[in-house]
């Protein structure tokens, strides 16, 4: 019996296993065949995400740049790497990766809004994962600390940090020509009674 348990534990999960996970309001993801679960996002998280989606989607639709989507949507990077980023952008050149069920391959942009429960996952594991695949930009927003970190694909074909903003700043990206994001306008105001 002990041997069978060790073999099961050593087995990497795949997308077929992922499809059997419960729909319980939590985020289930696979990275390297390992199962990661984070709780449902906070209202602060969702408010920042809504503001960012509105700004990016308006620009993308105005200039017919591609498509912006937000979680939950499965991004299948490999059979053992299935994630649900908070927000993604697929340019027209990658739009064929969008299927009726999921995204097959890396988006141009992945955005994660960090929470206490997802900090290590987003800052380390997912950043390394997105660097291995062809994600062109990775944006991390921490609404609690009001910090934005911007990673872009560098000369050695890895995601490297190109900017970090605290509270304010103007974010630009070659993915969205002519767009300047005023970061101060994205941070949601504190709700009464929030810690």
């Amino acid at each position: 019996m002990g041997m069978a348990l060790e073999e099961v534990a050593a087995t990497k999960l795949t997308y077929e296993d992922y499809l059997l996970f419960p729909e319980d309001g939590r985020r289930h993801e696979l990275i390297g065949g390992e199962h990661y679960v984070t709780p449902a996002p906070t209202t602060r998280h969702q408010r920042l995400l809504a503001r960012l989606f509105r700004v990016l989607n308006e620009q993308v639709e105005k200039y017919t740049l591609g498509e912006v989507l937000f979680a939950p949507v499965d991004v299948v990077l490999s059979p053992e790497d299935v994630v649900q980023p908070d927000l993604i952008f697929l340019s027209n050149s990658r739009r064929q990766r969008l299927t009726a069920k999921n995204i097959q391959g890396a988006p141009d942009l992945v955005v994660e809004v960090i929470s206490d429960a997802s900090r290590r996952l987003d800052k380390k594991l997912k950043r390394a994962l997105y660097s291995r695949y062809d994600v062109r930009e990775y944006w991390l927003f921490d609404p609690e600390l009001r910090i934005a970190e911007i990673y872009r694909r560098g000369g050695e074909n890895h995601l490297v940090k190109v900017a970090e903003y605290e509270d304010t700043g103007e974010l630009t990206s070659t993915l969205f020509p002519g767009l300047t994001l005023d970061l101060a306008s994205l941070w949601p105001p504190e709700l009464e009674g929030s810690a």
Side-chain angles (χ1 to χ4, degrees):
M1 179 101 167
M3 183 69 131
L5 287 177
E6 287 177 21
E7 286 177 20
V8 170
T11 302
K12 293 187 177 209
L13 299 173
T14 66
Y15 185 58
E16 281 68 37
D17 301 310
Y18 171 88
L19 293 173
L20 301 174
F21 294 159
E23 292 186 29
D24 57 5
R26 298 184 299 168
R27 184 175 298 183
H28 296 265
E29 298 175 296
L30 291 180
I31 298 177
E34 290 187 43
H35 183 198
Y36 292 88
V37 182
T38 52
T42 64
T43 55
R44 183 184 294 174
H45 175 289
Q46 293 301 84
R47 293 168 88 203
L48 185 144
L49 188 58
R51 289 168 185 223
L52 182 59
F53 174 80
R54 278 194 299 270
V55 171
L56 291 181
N57 195 55
E58 181 179 303
Q59 184 81 358
V60 166
E61 287 186 350
K62 181 177 180 180
Y63 295 103
T64 320
L65 300 174
E67 190 151 359
V68 180
L69 299 168
F70 51 87
V73 63
D74 295 339
V75 176
V76 182
L77 299 169
S78 79
E80 296 173 349
D81 297 301
V82 184
V83 290
Q84 289 188 9
D86 288 316
L87 185 143
I88 64 166
F89 165 66
L90 285 164
S91 65
N92 289 324
S93 65
R94 295 187 182 199
R95 216 167 183 171
Q96 77 282 1
R97 297 177 184 190
L98 176 65
T99 73
K101 286 181 150 184
N102 53 39
I103 310 299
Q104 291 285 323
D108 295 88
L109 169 69
V110 172
V111 177
E112 297 285 6
V113 179
I114 297 174
S115 67
D116 285 339
S118 72
R119 190 171 309 279
R120 180 181 170 277
L121 183 64
D122 292 336
K123 289 189 79 125
K124 298 213 181 269
L125 296 177
K126 284 188 176 179
R127 182 169 50 92
L129 177 72
Y130 299 144
S131 194
R132 275 200 325 268
Y133 293 94
D134 61 339
V135 171
R136 292 174 58 196
E137 292 191 15
Y138 183 40
W139 299 356
L140 282 166
F141 288 91
D142 188 329
E144 187 175 318
L145 300 177
R146 296 171 85 100
I147 292 174
E149 297 177 35
I150 310 305
Y151 295 84
R152 291 197 177 107
R153 193 143 304 270
E156 294 184 17
N157 208 26
H158 293 288
L159 289 173
V160 295
K161 187 189 284 189
V162 295
E164 183 172 317
Y165 304 93
E166 188 172 342
D167 284 323
T168 62
E170 293 185 337
L171 170 58
T172 61
S173 168
T174 57
L175 298 175
F176 309 101
L179 176 66
T180 301
L181 273 173
D182 174 17
L183 293 174
S185 70
L186 293 179
W187 305 119
E190 293 299 316
L191 292 174
E192 206 171 302
S194 49

